[in-house]
């Protein structure tokens, strides 16, 4: 089931049936789940999950913007992939070229990445028959998250469960291991001889890799680790590259987002004795310290029910606000699980320098530019336009309506010098960044 909400938190009744798009893969009653969704640049929605028929089967679907199945995708808008052994769907990501990556756990092999063409067929240029299998360590390994670099390389994090260490692997665009990353494409990290899980991964604009998860034993703490592009820990972050922190009790970070000014927002849940589990969100400065401008101490917690609430995924709106989604449990009477969402204000995403004021992430390359520059946005902007200004504040170029999250802008007619590229929507500048033109 995929749900769509209005900006005020109510279900969007123009989507599916009363805000819900429900798809069955199995003709007989079975457990079917969605674990990850993605939104294409044209607004269509991809969903990845599983169905059960004498074993777990990977399943995926694409929906039109109204919640109906897109019959131009995979024949009937949906399809399944049967893998030998126990399988568990994890994450779906969309490449800039429209191809689709699916990450799954597979027993006996540990980690599988599947790449689909934009029409839903397997991409035979990736791995073997569109599938790549990696066994990071000799023990059972569980992948949790995946991100795509600007150069198309794929970075995956997870847990090496034998020793409960963090693992990170980097794949080239064809699915082979990238040996420029920690010499063999596979990195493991043990922090303070303890147990770690790596649940979330994000990339900074400089290419550094940020991992979020937990450190556990007698107590649980959330961890955030930052790595250089070659796989070495970044010791400018919390002195050794790894922060062990707390939301105020037993803490887990299950998702994270890096703001355009480099600050790191981590989210998950915290267990407090006598209270139960609560949604939790915190913001860190670029050096790993807590940002006390965020709710006074850098941490905010939210309760929905008298029992336990678990934050599970974090997203950022185009206006900079954060939405944390998860589940609220009621176990005092009949056991009930409900979907829960919380939205948090955020007025501290101001960009890396004085000319940036980013409410969404704006990336440009190459920069400096010669004949053209590729502009990549992390969010779909309705009625958005691209405008370019010179150092005198004069508008020297503007593009038609933004039609994709990635666009190419010609700079051939611009003179050498510095410019400001702005993304404008409804008279508001939602993102800006400095562009240098050199012919």
């Amino acid at each position: 089931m995929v749900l769509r909400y209005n900006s005020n938190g109510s279900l969007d009744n123009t989507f599916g049936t009363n805000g819900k798009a429900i798809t069955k893969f199995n003709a007989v009653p079975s457990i079917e789940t969605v674990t990850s969704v993605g939104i294409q640049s044209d607004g269509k929605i991809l969903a990845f999950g599983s169905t059960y028929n004498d074993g777990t089967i990977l399943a995926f679907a694409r929906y039109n913007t109204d919640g109906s199945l897109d019959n131009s995708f995979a024949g009937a808008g949906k399809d399944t992939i049967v893998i030998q052994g126990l399988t568990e769907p994890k994450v779906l990501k969309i490449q800039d070229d429209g191809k689709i990556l699916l990450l799954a756990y597979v027993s006996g092999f540990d980690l599988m990445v599947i790449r689909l063409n934009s029409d839903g067929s397997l991409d035979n240029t990736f791995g073997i028959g569109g599938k790549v299998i990696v066994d990071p360590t000799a023990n059972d390994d569980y992948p949790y998250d995946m991100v795509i670099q600007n150069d198309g390389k794929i970075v995956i994090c997870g847990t090496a469960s034998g020793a409960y260490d963090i693992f990170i692997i980097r794949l080239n665009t064809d699915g082979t291991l990238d040996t420029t990353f920690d010499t063999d494409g596979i990195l493991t990290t043990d922090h303070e001889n303890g147990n770690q899980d790596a649940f979330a991964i994000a990339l900074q604009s400089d290419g550094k890799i940020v991992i979020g998860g937990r450190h556990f034993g007698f107590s649980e703490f959330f961890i955030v680790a930052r790595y250089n592009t070659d796989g070495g820990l970044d010791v400018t972050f919390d002195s050794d590259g790894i922060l062990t922190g707390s939301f105020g009790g037993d803490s887990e970070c299950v998702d994270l987002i890096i703001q355009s000014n480099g600050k790191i927002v981590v989210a998950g849940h915290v267990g407090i004795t006598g209270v139960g589990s609560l949604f939790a969100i915190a913001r860190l400065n670029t050096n790993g310290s807590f940002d006390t401008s965020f709710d006074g101490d850098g941490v905010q917690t939210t309760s929905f029910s008298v029992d336990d609430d678990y934050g599970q995924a974090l997203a950022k709106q185009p206006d900079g606000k954060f939405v944390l989604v998860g589940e609220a449990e009621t176990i005092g009477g009949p056991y009930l699980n409900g979907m829960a969402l919380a939205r948090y204000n955020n007025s501290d995403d101001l960009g890396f320098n004085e000319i940036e004021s980013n409410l969404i992430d704006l990336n440009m390359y190459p920069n400096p530019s010669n004949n053209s520059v590729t502009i990549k946005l992390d969010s779909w902007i309705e009625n958005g336009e691209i405008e370019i200004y010179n150092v005198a504040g004069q508008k020297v170029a503007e593009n038609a309506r933004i039609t994709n999250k990635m666009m190419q802008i010609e700079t051939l007619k611009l003179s050498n010098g510095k410019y400001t590229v702005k993304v404008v929507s409804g008279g508001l500048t939602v993102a800006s960044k400095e562009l240098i033109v050199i012919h």
Side-chain angles (χ1 to χ4, degrees):
M1 179 169 63
V2 177
L3 299 88
R4 190 165 72 192
Y5 289 83
N6 295 308
S7 59
N8 64 1
S10 62
L11 282 167
D12 177 7
N13 291 327
T14 68
F15 182 79
T17 302
N18 298 322
K20 306 170 186 176
I22 300 173
T23 301
K24 284 193 64 64
F25 286 84
N26 203 338
V28 300
S30 60
I31 297 173
E32 299 185 332
T33 61
V34 174
T35 59
S36 184
V37 297
I39 302 176
Q40 296 185 167
S41 59
D42 60 3
K44 291 183 179 181
I45 301 163
L46 287 158
F48 177 44
S50 63
T51 183
Y52 189 87
N53 185 2
D54 293 328
T56 302
I57 299 172
L58 301 178
F60 56 93
R62 187 164 72 191
Y63 299 90
N64 296 308
T65 56
D66 63 359
S68 61
L69 281 170
D70 176 11
N71 291 325
S72 69
F73 180 77
K78 62 180 182 178
D79 205 351
T80 59
I81 300 174
V82 179
I83 306 294
Q84 283 278 347
L86 175 67
T87 57
E88 189 176 330
K90 292 296 182 181
V91 178
L92 176 151
K93 296 290 182 180
I94 304 170
Q95 295 186 169
D96 289 339
D97 61 2
K99 292 183 179 182
I100 303 149
L101 291 172
L102 307 176
L103 174 66
Y105 164 77
V106 179
S107 64
F109 300 110
D110 298 344
L111 181 160
M112 178 177 286
V113 182
I114 301 166
R115 190 161 73 190
L116 307 175
N117 295 307
S118 58
D119 62 0
S121 61
L122 287 166
D123 177 11
N124 292 322
T125 67
F126 184 76
I128 300 174
K131 304 169 187 175
V132 169
I133 295 172
V134 181
D135 189 359
T137 73
N139 300 299
D140 282 339
D141 307 305
Y142 292 89
Y144 286 105
D145 202 5
M146 172 173 61
V147 69
I148 304 170
Q149 296 184 168
N150 282 337
D151 60 4
K153 291 182 179 181
I154 303 157
V155 190
I156 299 164
C157 74
T159 302
S161 65
Y164 280 99
D165 291 338
I166 295 169
F167 79 74
I168 305 172
I169 70 169
R170 190 162 70 191
L171 303 176
N172 294 309
T173 56
D174 62 358
T176 57
L177 285 165
D178 176 12
T179 55
T180 67
F181 183 75
D182 199 53
T183 71
D184 62 355
I186 301 173
L187 166 73
T188 59
T189 301
D190 176 29
H191 183 55
E192 297 178 349
N193 296 316
N195 300 320
Q196 293 83 216
D197 285 311
F199 295 135
I201 187 169
L203 295 175
Q204 294 189 166
S205 60
D206 59 4
K208 290 182 179 181
I209 301 164
V210 181
I211 299 293
R214 66 169 179 162
H215 179 98
F216 63 99
F218 293 108
S219 299
E220 289 188 26
F221 301 89
F222 75 76
I223 58 169
V224 179
R226 190 164 72 194
Y227 297 84
N228 295 312
T229 56
D230 62 359
L233 281 165
D234 177 10
V235 296
T236 67
F237 183 78
D238 198 55
S239 76
D240 63 354
I242 300 179
L243 166 71
T244 303
S246 174
F247 294 124
D250 285 341
S251 306
E252 289 188 17
C253 166
V254 298
D255 205 356
L256 57 84
I257 287 175
I258 301 172
Q259 295 187 167
S260 60
N261 59 8
K263 292 183 179 182
I264 303 167
V265 180
V266 298
H269 40 263
V270 56
I272 302 174
T273 302
V275 177
S277 182
L278 310 174
F279 272 32
I281 184 169
R283 189 164 65 203
L284 307 174
N285 294 309
T286 56
N287 63 1
S289 61
F290 281 89
D291 177 10
T292 55
S293 70
F294 185 78
D295 201 52
D297 60 357
V299 178
Q300 170 70 280
T301 60
T302 304
S303 175
F304 291 88
S305 65
V306 296
D307 292 301
D308 292 323
D309 309 314
Y310 299 95
Q312 295 175 332
L314 182 67
K316 188 178 73 170
Q317 296 184 168
D319 61 3
K321 293 179 180 180
F322 292 101
V323 177
L324 181 58
V325 62
E327 61 179 322
E329 294 184 349
T330 301
I331 56 179
Y335 182 82
L336 297 172
N337 266 15
M339 180 176 289
L341 298 94
R343 189 168 67 190
Y344 302 89
N345 293 312
N346 175 38
S347 58
D348 184 50
D349 199 357
L350 300 179
F352 286 111
N353 58 52
E354 68 276 7
I355 68 165
E356 294 183 353
S357 179
N358 287 353
L359 298 178
I360 63 168
D361 285 330
L362 164 63
N363 289 303
M364 300 188 300
Y365 54 90
N367 190 9
S369 167
N370 182 6
N371 296 329
S372 65
V373 61
T374 297
I375 294 177
K376 182 180 177 183
L377 308 175
D378 74 337
S379 299
W380 172 257
I381 301 298
E382 187 174 3
N383 298 323
E385 295 181 342
I386 302 291
E387 298 178 350
I388 302 178
Y389 292 80
N390 62 20
V391 292
Q394 300 168 322
K395 186 191 297 184
V396 294
E398 67 178 338
N399 199 60
R401 298 286 185 189
I402 295 174
T403 55
N404 289 286
K405 289 195 289 185
M406 188 170 71
M407 302 177 65
Q408 191 171 66
I409 305 298
E410 183 180 300
T411 58
L412 181 62
K413 296 179 180 179
L414 297 178
S415 302
N416 291 347
K418 292 183 178 181
Y419 297 85
T420 301
V421 176
K422 294 184 178 182
V423 180
V424 180
S425 177
L428 173 69
T429 300
V430 297
S432 63
K433 183 162 284 191
E434 182 181 275
L435 171 67
I436 298 173
V437 176
I438 300 176
H439 298 298

